Amino acid sequence: MINLSLPLLAFNPIAFNLGPIQVHWYGIIIATGVVLALILSVREGRRRGINEDYFYDYLLWALPIAVICARFYYVIFQWGYYSHHPAEIIAIWDGGIAIYGAILGGILTLYFFCRVRQISMWTMMDVISPTLIMAQGIGRWGNFMNQEAFGAITSRAALISQHLPMWIINQMDIGNHYRIPTFLYESLWDLVGFALLMLLRHRHHLFKRGEVFLAYVMWYSVGRFFIEGMRTDSLMIGNTLRVSQILSLIFFVAALITLIVRRQRTNLPWYVNQ
């Protein structure tokens, strides 16, 4: 009989080797989230009359730009380290990409993409948003495999009291200390947000054009603000300000104001009628 009170080995972040190339679970998990998001976005796009090729073309541009922006964002706020280790700047397979950087890169790319293709950016964002937060929830398990995005030191007994599976508890043994699994909290928050947006998106007279996206921004910002406060590996400005909490506040307020202002425009179509 296995004694579950004893710690087991953590997961290996390397999934397998292709000759000299190491394939990381981090990349596999993120790629899985992206593929699922693309499939669901294409399906919803058909209902909205959007050519499915637009999603494939957008992804070809957005994915590399989002990765570059996510890494650039992370490196900027960790420049004290990377200025002395410039060779590691491109080592995204070891983790160290910031989701807010990826989101900003993706939105910027979508803006120019929609202008060139002459399609509604608001509609595209409404279609993509629920699947984006799903991909974010899945992607957090890449952090789990890399043993990052964790919280303060805790005890094994405290983790067991949360009724967490032993394989999660064992992976939270980081540097000989058990850590609060903030990656898990954010993943669950994102997946609940995905379920709610998917459930409510087609309800009549609930969302106007653009408001699915704004609801996504507000939902994610609230969860990220509180969960970020529990993390110990946050990107910081000085010693007190957490970058992601500041951005969460800015994005929430901006989305809320935009929602209120746009609601005054009676000519905006309801999402279900687009």
Side-chain angles (χ1 to χ4, degrees):
M1 179 180 295
I2 298 175
N3 186 350
L4 295 181
S5 66
L6 296 176
L8 303 176
L9 294 176
F11 289 107
N12 188 340
I14 309 299
F16 55 88
N17 296 302
L18 291 175
I21 301 175
Q22 293 182 326
V23 179
H24 291 238
W25 280 113
Y26 187 86
I28 292 174
I29 292 170
I30 289 179
T32 299
V34 170
V35 170
L36 289 175
L38 176 62
I39 292 171
L40 293 176
S41 293
V42 168
R43 289 180 59 185
E44 179 63 17
R46 291 196 192 106
R47 297 191 184 97
R48 306 267 69 82
I50 302 174
N51 190 321
E52 67 179 79
D53 288 341
Y54 288 164
F55 294 97
Y56 300 123
D57 294 343
Y58 168 66
L59 186 63
L60 288 176
W61 286 100
L63 192 57
I65 292 174
V67 171
I68 292 170
C69 290
R71 185 61 172 177
F72 183 67
Y73 179 106
Y74 183 84
V75 169
I76 285 177
F77 290 105
Q78 294 282 14
W79 187 243
Y81 174 83
Y82 286 105
S83 62
H84 295 94
H85 303 85
E88 296 182 27
I89 290 177
I90 63 171
I92 61 173
W93 48 85
D94 290 330
I97 59 175
I99 188 61
Y100 269 136
I103 292 173
L104 291 171
I107 292 175
L108 183 63
T109 305
L110 185 63
Y111 171 77
F112 288 104
F113 180 85
C114 289
R115 291 201 62 176
V116 172
R117 296 300 177 94
Q118 296 183 334
I119 56 179
S120 169
M121 179 178 175
W122 286 110
T123 300
M124 284 287 286
M125 289 193 299
D126 281 344
V127 170
I128 294 171
S129 296
T131 64
L132 173 59
I133 199 170
M134 176 203 67
Q136 290 174 239
I138 293 172
R140 279 301 173 196
W141 289 89
N143 299 133
F144 168 74
M145 296 302 297
N146 278 357
Q147 293 185 305
E148 58 191 8
F150 49 78
I153 294 174
T154 186
S155 66
R156 184 176 178 85
L159 296 178
I160 291 174
S161 69
Q162 297 180 41
H163 306 289
L164 298 176
M166 297 306 299
W167 51 273
I168 290 180
I169 293 174
N170 295 325
Q171 190 73 354
M172 287 298 96
D173 184 356
I174 303 170
N176 295 321
H177 295 285
Y178 286 97
R179 296 283 186 164
I180 296 174
T182 48
F183 88 91
L184 176 63
Y185 305 156
E186 186 168 337
S187 177
L188 293 175
W189 180 263
D190 291 346
L191 294 176
V192 169
F194 163 68
L196 288 175
L197 289 177
M198 292 292 282
L199 180 65
L200 299 176
R201 181 165 60 178
H202 294 285
R203 294 297 184 269
H204 289 279
H205 304 134
L206 183 60
F207 290 119
K208 287 191 172 184
R209 182 170 62 194
E211 292 180 353
V212 177
F213 168 70
L214 295 174
Y216 151 73
V217 172
M218 289 189 288
W219 177 272
Y220 179 72
S221 296
V222 168
R224 184 59 187 269
F225 178 85
F226 288 104
I227 295 170
E228 189 71 21
M230 301 189 314
R231 288 176 56 170
T232 57
D233 59 345
S234 300
L235 298 177
M236 306 290 290
I237 298 177
N239 296 320
T240 56
L241 299 177
R242 299 173 188 264
V243 178
S244 289
Q245 284 190 313
I246 295 172
L247 285 178
S248 293
L249 282 174
I250 292 172
F251 287 157
F252 180 85
V253 172
L256 181 60
I257 292 174
T258 302
L259 178 65
I260 293 171
V261 171
R262 292 180 85 250
R263 271 280 168 162
Q264 308 308 310
R265 297 171 56 185
T266 58
N267 61 331
L268 283 178
W270 297 96
Y271 179 80
V272 294
N273 295 329
Q274 291 184 65

